[in-house]
């Protein structure tokens, strides 16, 4: 594990954006795994700026997002589809036919999950996966539990996750209760993983995830076993 302990959100974002730009420079047709949430917003902002300066092209990339809420359509401002367009895709030269996000409105969710796995495999697997971490130790929406869910699946969100994500919704009761998420095996299969964590609120869970026992009760703890894990952590 490469651990960069940085001071402040901006430094975390700069370091992460630099690593992503190097990945794209080394392999312009990389397959990237992308996260949503508040943590990567500043990273995406820096990538948009780098694109505007002509330093990076997203054209040859393929991307797979980690997760999507069930029941929210593409035009719903709370959907992760909407988030990606607002924060990144709408401002760069990405080929939208190769920017994949699970369809939260799919009629057959199980089929959607299976098809998502197949698309990742068909793309040759993920070269670099960006992750945030939930207050409860989740990665993507793999919530604490008794075992590690392997593949892309539909999950009942943890009460802690619903409470944490309520900040993005006008009414807390509007937070969806279910989501489609890549599984732990899907994430773990990425050739490189970049875990980002920011703020004092993530301090205890990061300590546990990186240095505690490896257990499905702290899903992020599995990352200790990944052969190419980079962590950029601002605990301020
Ligand atoms: C988002 C995701 C989640 C978030 C996590 C942290 O696609 O999969 O696991 O990374 O909930 O969220 P923030 O960054 O809002 O603290």
């Amino acid at each position: 594990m490469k651990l960069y302990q940085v001071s402040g959100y901006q430094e975390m974002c700069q370091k992460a954006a630099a690593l992503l730009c190097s990945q794209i420079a080394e392999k312009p047709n990389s397959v990237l795994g992308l996260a949503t949430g508040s943590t990567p917003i500043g990273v995406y902002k820096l990538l948009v700026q780098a694109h505007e300066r002509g330093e990076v092209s997203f054209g040859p990339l393929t991307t797979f997002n980690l997760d999507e809420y069930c029941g929210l359509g593409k035009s719903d401002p709370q959907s992760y589809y909407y988030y990606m367009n607002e924060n990144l895709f709408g401002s760069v030269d990405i080929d939208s036919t190769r920017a994949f996000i699970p369809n939260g409105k799919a009629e057959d969710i199980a089929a959607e999950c299976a098809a998502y796995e197949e698309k990742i495999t068909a793309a040759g697997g993920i070269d670099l996966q960006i992750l945030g971490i939930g207050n409860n130790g989740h990665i993507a929406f793999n919530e604490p539990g008794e075992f590690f869910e392997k593949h892309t699946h539909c999950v009942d969100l943890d009460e802690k996750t619903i409470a944490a994500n309520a900040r993005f919704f006008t009414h807390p009761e509007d937070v969806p209760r279910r989501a489609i998420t890549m599984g732990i095996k899907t994430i773990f299969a990425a050739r490189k993983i970049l875990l980002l964590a920011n703020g004092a609120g993530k301090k205890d869970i990061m300590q546990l995830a990186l240095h505690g026992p490896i257990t499905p009760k702290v899903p992020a703890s599995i990352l200790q076993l990944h052969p190419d894990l980079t962590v950029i952590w601002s605990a301020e």
Side-chain angles (χ1 to χ4, degrees):
M1 168 174 71
K2 270 181 240 136
L3 171 62
Y4 297 97
Q5 284 186 282
V6 297
S7 0
Y9 182 66
Q10 203 46 34
E11 199 181 330
M12 186 205 76
C13 292
Q14 277 159 355
K15 183 98 199 141
L19 285 179
L20 283 160
C21 286
S22 313
Q23 171 70 35
I24 298 170
E26 266 168 40
K27 187 177 176 193
N29 63 347
S30 289
V31 179
L32 299 184
L34 301 178
T36 57
S38 54
T39 309
I41 287 180
V43 181
Y44 295 148
K45 212 172 259 173
L46 291 173
L47 290 178
V48 169
Q49 288 166 7
H51 171 68
E52 285 167 355
R53 290 193 301 268
E55 292 166 13
V56 64
S57 169
F58 290 73
L61 294 177
T62 298
T63 63
F64 287 93
N65 265 76
L66 286 168
D67 38 24
E68 178 62 284
Y69 288 119
C70 288
L72 299 193
K74 295 179 174 181
S75 58
D76 191 311
Q78 307 300 344
S79 73
Y80 287 163
Y81 185 95
Y82 193 96
Y83 168 110
M84 289 311 298
N85 271 323
E86 282 289 294
N87 290 296
L88 185 65
F89 296 163
S91 310
V92 296
D93 59 339
I94 196 137
D95 177 345
S96 59
T97 64
R98 287 202 313 274
F100 297 101
I101 302 178
N103 177 9
K105 292 277 261 187
E107 273 180 28
D108 184 341
I109 296 280
E112 172 66 16
C113 294
Y116 204 67
E117 282 290 328
E118 278 165 25
K119 280 181 214 157
I120 295 172
T121 307
I126 293 171
D127 290 305
L128 173 59
Q129 175 66 60
I130 304 171
L131 294 177
I133 181 170
N135 297 327
N136 61 359
H138 73 207
I139 46 175
F141 277 137
N142 291 277
E143 301 287 34
E146 295 306 315
F147 55 92
F148 292 111
E149 286 266 13
K150 296 192 192 73
H151 298 112
T152 301
H153 61 285
C154 180
V155 64
D156 290 325
L157 297 175
D158 194 272
E159 283 309 320
K160 267 195 173 178
T161 301
I162 293 168
N165 289 1
R167 70 192 194 277
F168 299 115
F169 290 77
T170 320
H171 305 294
E173 62 275 16
D174 293 343
V175 185
R177 268 36 193 176
R178 302 177 83 205
I180 295 176
T181 178
M182 278 188 203
I184 291 292
K185 190 171 178 187
T186 328
I187 294 169
F188 205 82
R191 288 181 267 282
K192 296 179 197 166
I193 293 184
L194 174 57
L195 172 65
L196 305 177
N198 174 58
K202 299 278 170 76
K203 208 170 168 179
D204 292 346
I205 197 65
M206 278 296 283
Q207 206 62 40
L208 211 52
L210 299 185
H211 306 295
I214 296 166
T215 162
K217 292 188 167 60
V218 182
S221 63
I222 194 80
L223 298 175
Q224 294 177 36
L225 298 178
H226 195 275
D228 194 336
L229 171 67
T230 300
V231 181
I232 311 178
W233 179 11
S234 166
E236 289 167 18

